[in-house]
Amino acid sequence: MKKPTGNGRIVADKRNFDQPTQKPTKQPAKRRGSGGSRPPKRGNFLTRGIAGIVVLVWRVVWGSFWRLALTVAAIVAAATFYFYTTLPEASALFDGRARGSVTMLDTDGKVFAWRGETFGMVSSDKIAPALKNAVVATEDKRFYRHIGVDPQGIASAIRINMAAGRGPLSGNGGSTITQQVSKLLCLGESFDPTRWKSEAEYEAECRQSTIWRKVKEIPYAMAMEAKYSKADILNIYMNRSYLGAGARGFEAASQRYFGKSAAEVTPAEAAMLAGLLKAPSYFAPTSNLERSQDRASVILGLMHDQGYLDDAQFADAKAHPAVLSKAAAARAGGYFADWVMETGPGFLTSETTEDVTIKTTFDERIQRAAERALQRVFDEKVAKGSTAQAAVVVMSPDGAVRAMIGGRDNTVSGTFNRATQANRQTGSSFKPFVYAAALDQGYSPNDLIEDGPLTIRIPGSAPWSPQNYTRRYYGEVTLTRALANSLNTATVRLQEIAGRDAVRRIAQDFGFANNLASGPALGLGASESTLLNMTSAYAGIRNGGTAVRPYGLVELQIKGDDQPLIGQSGGMGQRVISQKAAGELIGMMEQVIQHGTGGRAKLAGRPAAGKTGTTSSYRDAWFIGFTGQYVTGVWLGNDDNKPLKGVTGGGLPAEIWQAVMTEIHEGLPVESLGSFVFDASGAVPHVVSSGGADGASDPLAAALSSALGQPQPEGAAPAPQDPAMQPQGEPGRRLQDASTIQSGGTVPTFPAETSSTDGMDTEISPDDPLAAALRGIDGVY
């Protein structure tokens, strides 16, 4: 057999025989998982132990951290998703008011007052770019770059707060606009009366800056960022933010402060509005314009630094700071607006959930004129530091109230209104109702009444003896002179002749009051009334004897509706006294101003009628009167009922009345009062001449001399009477002449006044020498 040949065999043999035969050696086994030889150990046992612990802790922390982070992320994501599903459409969140607003219009249809929370929606695409930029620059400069939360802003706010010595969450909050919207929405929680006692408590809790609420704001803000666009979020913010003075949202605030839409504001006005976000009431320009302008200047600086204003725009805005509109600056009609809110139905005024518009009788020209006149008299005639208060009401003869001053401070609303809420004794301003009762029974202004000592005996009480202010008696006087000189004994005699019940009925029918005194002091003004009711009662005399109900509301309608819900609720009522009696009384009241206690109320070239009034211990002083166009009442007194130290209705109130009426009649034609004079042949219409008594024959000077003379001895001849108040033609009847009248009922305590005029009235400046003399003319009550 042939042996195989070939290279394979040769190679194999060569491989096998070329290598020496070696006995295999045994290798040590490697540990499982070993990468090779172990490096030599370093350090001692202690260092190796510490290193091991650190490694172990790090592994535990790191493991826990990413697990915790994953858990927190899952919770935030779940909460964000939950809030996302509960968020409504953005448009449903624009108006966040619990109450509606009441907008009041004057006689020219112009807005003069707001009540409640005014609101005017405006979208971010229609708002002035300067206003959007001002808000973003002030509140959240990274608004367009974050996802609802800005860690950088929060860290910066915490650093600023702690550097200022405050707590980390006190002061600057670092919240984004989205987070602020979350707070405005109260994290989606609606008001629940079972949980919160009031809406104010609900809103206070929503505004709390606790850590837990801050944590809850994060997923809510992120849900809004996912649900809404940046424009939607900005819309919600700019429509729901409260900006002071009852304005909710930037459109309402712009209309309230500047009288223009938020789409038309200038950079200076935009900065002022944006500055209100920090503290609306504190920075409101209606509270302190200078402070609001200073805050706006800071905002302008931020806008300039962030590139929203170039150098020229910045310089112009700084040089021309925003100012209030004329209506906002005047702040006229606050007392009037408060009164209208009280007279209307609550569900459509103070408690309305709708936006309401009310057309009123308010005349801004008359209001401003009255305020100017009152301020001028106090500046010129009243001593500095005086606490005396004043109230003024101006109305038309049909009861339409044109102006109202409820106190010396007209810059605020919601305060005590002395024209409508203060019930005060009326004093001699009540006397016209006594004479109205007598005239309506057929007595004449020319009839004679005894002015002399009088005692009224009342069973169960001490005798009551009223006295005249001057302690003088004039014997037989006409009814005209008794009213003009405010003679007390003559007035009480006439009251007892006409009957107290008749006097009470006429006063009540004219709208005076329901709780009238029952004793003989009724005719001297022992009862109380408000200035508004007294002025409306005099309006009834002015219009010819028909009662009026004062009103300010002409028409009320829901905003957007064509048909009004409520119309005028006041005005002319039923006849109280005859037109003849009213004409006679008007003529008698003209003599009060021309020749009696109301001399300081004379109007140059214009007929006027009225009556003074002073109460016990000078606590209240009144003057109420009218011209052809307007009826005006003035009251002066102290809120704490302290005496005015001698001021009478014929003094400061008459002068205030004269100043007010002069202002409001500027440019108006002279109108007759339509009064009458009477002689034996009957009534003759009499138009009062425009000229007054001047020169040496001034009847006021004669009355002053007579009033300030020595007391007339009992039984002496009466002082000469002014010819203007003498009977025309045949003298009138002599009415009851009795020195003692038996009376039923009780008499309220009504202390007599002294006739002393010593000392200067502290309410009147020392440079008013006529004031002290005038005190001696008015009646005691």
Side-chain angles (χ1 to χ4, degrees):
M1 182 174 173
K2 194 173 182 178
K3 293 182 181 178
T5 62
N7 295 333
R9 174 66 181 268
I10 296 172
V11 172
D13 292 343
K14 187 177 180 179
R15 183 178 62 244
N16 292 333
F17 288 99
D18 287 346
Q19 295 181 0
T21 302
Q22 295 181 354
K23 188 176 181 178
T25 58
K26 189 175 182 179
Q27 299 291 332
K30 295 182 179 179
R31 292 186 179 179
R32 184 180 299 176
S34 174
S37 62
R38 178 178 298 177
K41 295 181 179 180
R42 298 180 180 179
N44 56 32
F45 174 80
L46 179 61
T47 57
R48 291 199 304 272
I50 294 175
I53 293 174
V54 170
V55 171
L56 178 62
V57 170
W58 168 249
R59 289 179 177 178
V60 171
V61 170
W62 173 250
S64 301
F65 175 78
W66 70 264
R67 288 180 176 85
L68 178 63
L70 185 61
T71 302
V72 170
I75 293 174
V76 171
T80 301
F81 178 76
Y82 168 76
F83 286 133
Y84 179 91
T85 61
T86 61
L87 288 172
E89 292 298 320
S91 59
L93 301 176
F94 289 164
D95 188 357
R97 298 169 301 156
R99 298 292 182 192
S101 65
V102 178
T103 302
M104 298 190 196
L105 309 179
D106 63 13
T107 53
D108 293 328
K110 298 179 181 178
V111 176
F112 73 92
W114 297 265
R115 293 295 182 270
E117 288 189 353
T118 56
F119 173 75
M121 190 183 72
V122 63
S123 58
S124 62
D125 60 332
K126 295 181 180 179
I127 205 168
L131 183 52
K132 285 195 296 183
N133 295 338
V135 171
V136 173
T138 306
E139 297 298 312
D140 187 2
K141 64 182 180 182
R142 285 180 289 274
F143 173 67
Y144 293 105
R145 300 195 299 270
H146 60 64
I147 60 171
V149 181
D150 184 9
Q152 183 179 346
I154 295 174
S156 176
I158 292 175
R159 184 176 64 255
I160 293 172
N161 292 335
M162 298 187 70
R166 299 187 295 261
L169 298 180
S170 301
N172 291 283
S175 297
T176 64
I177 287 178
T178 314
Q179 286 178 283
Q180 293 182 55
V181 172
S182 301
K183 188 176 294 185
L184 289 173
L185 298 177
C186 203
L187 301 177
E189 292 183 274
S190 301
F191 173 69
D192 183 357
T194 62
R195 180 178 174 184
W196 293 282
K197 295 180 180 179
S198 64
E199 292 178 9
E201 183 179 317
Y202 159 73
E203 292 183 357
E205 183 173 326
C206 291
R207 295 190 183 100
Q208 287 180 350
S209 295
T210 61
I211 295 178
W212 174 237
R213 292 196 71 86
K214 285 286 185 182
V215 169
K216 291 175 68 176
E217 283 177 8
I218 294 174
Y220 198 90
M222 294 175 67
M224 284 195 297
E225 290 281 349
K227 180 85 171 182
Y228 309 133
S229 66
K230 290 288 187 179
D232 287 337
I233 295 172
L234 196 59
N235 277 349
I236 298 172
Y237 185 60
M238 299 190 75
N239 282 295
R240 291 184 73 104
S241 296
Y242 180 70
L243 298 170
R248 180 74 66 175
F250 280 84
E251 175 67 12
S254 182
Q255 295 286 357
R256 175 70 178 87
Y257 299 128
F258 308 128
K260 62 173 69 172
S261 170
E264 302 170 348
V265 296
T266 65
E269 292 166 342
M272 182 174 286
L273 291 174
L276 298 173
L277 290 166
K278 183 175 183 179
S281 299
Y282 182 76
F283 288 115
T286 49
S287 299
N288 189 315
L289 180 59
E290 183 178 357
R291 184 166 59 207
S292 184
Q293 289 174 336
D294 290 342
R295 172 65 178 163
S297 180
V298 175
I299 307 304
L300 289 171
L302 293 174
M303 295 174 69
H304 180 250
D305 293 342
Q306 296 176 35
Y308 293 117
L309 294 177
D310 59 31
D311 293 342
Q313 292 172 324
F314 176 65
D316 181 71
K318 291 277 287 186
H320 302 91
V323 295
L324 291 167
S325 66
K326 290 183 178 180
R331 286 178 287 182
Y335 289 107
F336 179 94
D338 290 342
W339 170 64
V340 170
M341 291 288 286
E342 294 170 1
T343 57
F347 68 94
L348 288 175
T349 54
S350 59
E351 300 175 2
T352 180
T353 57
E354 303 286 346
D355 289 324
V356 173
T357 300
I358 299 178
K359 296 180 180 179
T360 73
T361 60
F362 181 74
D363 190 316
E364 188 170 347
R365 180 192 71 83
I366 295 177
Q367 178 72 30
R368 292 186 181 180
E371 291 175 359
R372 285 195 304 269
L374 178 65
Q375 187 62 49
R376 185 172 66 252
V377 172
F378 266 82
D379 289 343
E380 296 175 357
K381 301 294 183 180
V382 178
K384 293 182 178 179
S386 170
T387 60
Q389 283 290 346
V392 179
V393 171
V394 182
M395 67 174 60
S396 298
D398 68 342
V401 178
R402 303 301 180 185
M404 180 180 292
I405 300 175
R408 291 170 61 182
D409 186 1
N410 286 303
T411 62
V412 294
S413 62
T415 57
F416 182 68
N417 190 338
R418 296 159 189 85
T420 63
Q421 295 174 307
N423 281 284
R424 308 295 289 247
Q425 284 188 339
T426 58
S428 292
S429 61
F430 182 87
K431 287 178 180 176
F433 304 117
V434 176
Y435 291 84
L439 294 172
D440 199 49
Q441 293 176 19
Y443 294 101
S444 165
N446 295 332
D447 286 342
L448 300 176
I449 190 77
E450 176 70 18
D451 177 52
L454 172 66
T455 299
I456 297 181
R457 304 191 183 282
I458 305 168
S461 299
W464 182 62
S465 299
Q467 295 178 317
N468 291 333
Y469 182 84
T470 61
R471 300 298 193 269
R472 302 184 65 190
Y473 303 106
Y474 296 92
E476 282 189 345
V477 295
T478 63
L479 298 188
T480 298
R481 186 175 187 206
L483 180 61
N485 285 0
S486 202
L487 302 178
N488 291 329
T489 59
T491 300
V492 173
R493 277 190 171 91
L494 184 63
Q495 171 189 262
E496 299 305 302
I497 293 170
R500 286 179 224 158
D501 288 342
V503 173
R504 191 179 296 108
R505 177 187 60 78
I506 284 177
Q508 288 175 341
D509 289 349
F510 270 127
F512 174 86
N514 293 318
N515 188 23
L516 289 168
S518 58
L522 167 70
L524 301 184
S527 304
E528 295 180 342
S529 183
T530 65
L531 177 63
L532 178 65
N533 286 340
M534 284 293 289
T535 307
S536 65
Y538 274 55
I541 298 172
R542 166 65 192 90
N543 67 34
T546 300
V548 300
R549 181 182 173 188
Y551 68 98
L553 188 154
V554 176
E555 188 176 280
L556 182 150
Q557 64 185 53
I558 302 296
K559 189 175 181 179
D561 289 354
D562 296 330
Q563 296 297 323
L565 293 180
I566 297 177
Q568 177 181 320
S569 59
M572 304 284 283
Q574 296 181 342
R575 177 164 295 281
V576 179
I577 59 176
S578 68
Q579 190 170 1
K580 172 178 176 292
E584 293 172 330
L585 183 56
I586 290 172
M588 295 168 67
M589 294 172 69
E590 285 183 87
Q591 298 306 310
V592 173
I593 292 178
Q594 290 299 316
H595 307 292
T597 60
R600 299 193 78 175
K602 284 183 182 179
L603 300 175
R606 190 178 298 273
K611 184 67 185 77
T612 57
T614 310
T615 64
S616 176
S617 300
Y618 305 102
R619 290 186 176 90
D620 304 275
W622 305 71
F623 191 91
I624 308 171
F626 45 81
T627 61
Q629 290 96 334
Y630 296 111
V631 185
T632 297
V634 176
W635 168 86
L636 196 69
N638 283 307
D639 288 339
D640 58 6
N641 216 30
K642 289 182 179 179
L644 289 171
K645 299 180 182 179
V647 175
T648 66
L652 273 177
E655 189 165 353
I656 292 171
W657 187 91
Q658 193 272 347
V660 170
M661 293 296 261
T662 299
E663 285 260 9
I664 68 177
H665 282 84
E666 185 175 352
L668 297 181
V670 176
E671 290 188 8
S672 167
L673 290 174
S675 58
F676 299 85
V677 292
F678 288 83
D679 57 21
S681 62
V684 179
H686 168 63
V687 178
V688 179
S689 64
S690 61
D694 298 315
S697 61
D698 185 0
L700 176 59
L704 282 168
S705 300
S706 174
L708 296 176
Q710 296 296 323
Q712 178 182 343
E714 191 169 339
Q721 297 190 29
D722 193 295
M725 289 187 283
Q726 292 294 326
Q728 302 294 316
E730 295 290 330
R733 293 168 290 180
R734 283 185 173 84
L735 305 185
Q736 178 182 354
D737 179 14
S739 60
T740 302
I741 298 177
Q742 195 77 17
S743 174
T746 59
V747 177
T749 302
F750 221 73
E753 290 291 335
T754 64
S755 59
S756 171
T757 58
D758 295 336
M760 179 55 64
D761 178 7
T762 58
E763 303 297 339
I764 304 178
S765 299
D767 59 353
D768 188 15
L770 186 58
L774 284 166
R775 297 183 209 137
I777 299 179
D778 195 21
V780 62
Y781 296 108

